Amino acid sequence: MNKDIKAYDSVLDLIGDTPLIKLSTTTANYTGEFFAKVEAFNPGHSSKDRIALHIIEEAERKGILKPGDTIIETTSGNTGFSIAMVSRIKGYDCILAVSSKSSADKIDMLKSMGAKVYVCPAHVSADDPRSYYEVAKRLHEEIKDSIYINQYFNELNIEAHYRSTGPEIWEQTGGQITHLVACSGTGGTISGTARFLKEQNPNIEILGVDAYGSVLKKYHETKEFDSEEIYPYRIEG
Ligand SMILES: Cc1ncc(COP(=O)(O)O)c(C=O)c1O
């Protein structure tokens, strides 16, 4: 091989180490300095690459995953894309149970990455057999040699950010970070990153942001989940 060729062995080598970019225009009227950690620079376009790689490589390290096995997850899109990408590169089958709230283009992206996609109703309770949690659990029980990533309840989701996102931010800010602002889906990003940063400096403030209309915000405030129409789930290739 020509020694001058500068190439990565795998797209997986490009996960993490995302850039910190100074925000100037949007924060011009505020005092202080603001930076965005742009997770869209991950090859799978989001921070979910970090958890997909970490959880899958931990399963390999523990010997519970071998080539040809099946990786199953519930996902509304981004985690699925990352898991499908890592599965494809490492030689695993990937099955994703997704919410009917997911957009058609996201579902197409998952399929184009080789995943088998089950679209499940978004507004049934989590313990309903049609919910994407229950569909994923059932498939995991039925399919021999499969693992279920289960990002909402998997401590490795938090650990992935504790080991990568947190140290990167600490390093990139030269330890000068004073506040971390993060949104929350599973809570893995904010928990793992905050845990690491707080260990370095307990005075760092952690601010979680949630959107109006989010089921999490409403549940937190009222203990009620939004329920809308119930869709039958359909199986897609
Ligand atoms: C692109 C993207 N960024 C961030 C989040 C939130 O991260 P976390 O699930 O770690 O709270 C999600 C998931 O909800 C996501 O899809």
Side-chain angles (χ1 to χ4, degrees):
M1 163 95 57
N2 182 335
K3 283 197 182 117
D4 293 334
I5 292 176
K6 294 186 172 54
Y8 292 90
D9 288 336
S10 161
V11 79
L12 301 183
D13 296 339
L14 292 166
I15 293 176
D17 281 327
T18 50
L20 205 61
I21 301 178
K22 190 166 176 2
L23 299 176
S24 306
T25 315
T26 49
T27 59
N29 293 329
Y30 297 93
T31 51
E33 286 186 293
F34 299 84
F35 300 88
K37 178 113 170 111
V38 187
E39 290 297 292
F41 276 73
N42 281 296
H45 319 132
S46 84
S47 63
K48 296 295 183 179
D49 282 2
R50 298 175 185 269
I51 71 166
L53 186 64
H54 183 62
I55 295 172
I56 290 169
E57 292 198 333
E58 277 297 292
E60 288 171 338
R61 202 179 55 75
K62 289 175 187 153
I64 55 175
L65 196 55
K66 51 190 184 314
D69 284 357
T70 301
I71 299 176
I72 298 170
E73 181 55 327
T74 51
T75 170
S76 54
N78 294 309
T79 305
F81 190 78
S82 298
I83 292 170
M85 181 183 79
V86 177
S87 300
R88 188 81 175 172
I89 292 165
K90 286 179 169 282
Y92 303 112
D93 288 335
C94 176
I95 298 180
L96 303 169
V98 312
S99 159
S100 55
K101 280 200 291 190
S102 306
S103 62
D105 62 321
K106 274 191 175 171
I107 292 173
D108 287 345
M109 296 267 283
L110 303 178
K111 289 182 188 167
S112 71
M113 199 48 96
K116 183 170 183 185
V117 180
Y118 288 65
V119 181
C120 308
H123 303 298
V124 294
S125 63
D127 59 358
D128 186 297
R130 294 162 299 175
S131 79
Y132 55 69
Y133 306 109
E134 287 299 318
V135 170
K137 267 165 46 186
R138 175 176 59 77
L139 291 168
H140 175 43
E141 281 158 18
E142 286 172 6
I143 299 171
K144 202 172 150 282
D145 297 327
S146 66
I147 66 160
Y148 176 26
I149 299 277
N150 205 1
Q151 62 169 333
Y152 281 87
F153 298 96
N154 192 332
E155 280 284 320
L156 295 174
N157 172 10
I158 296 170
E159 190 182 89
H161 293 287
Y162 177 82
R163 291 203 188 169
S164 67
T165 320
E168 286 173 29
I169 292 173
W170 183 251
E171 174 70 22
Q172 286 169 314
T173 61
Q176 296 172 82
I177 178 170
T178 55
H179 297 73
L180 171 75
V181 182
C183 62
S184 192
T186 63
T189 306
I190 195 165
S191 318
T193 308
R195 187 182 293 170
F196 180 86
L197 292 175
K198 286 267 190 192
E199 281 175 9
Q200 314 312 308
N201 175 3
N203 296 324
I204 293 173
E205 287 190 40
I206 311 299
L207 307 168
V209 178
D210 200 5
Y212 283 106
S214 152
V215 290
L216 287 180
K217 181 178 189 296
K218 183 168 176 187
Y219 182 73
H220 180 67
E221 290 172 355
T222 66
K223 297 285 173 276
E224 278 174 28
F225 258 115
D226 284 325
S227 79
E228 295 171 21
E229 66 266 52
I230 293 171
Y231 303 91
Y233 75 83
R234 60 183 194 277
I235 297 172
E236 308 216 347

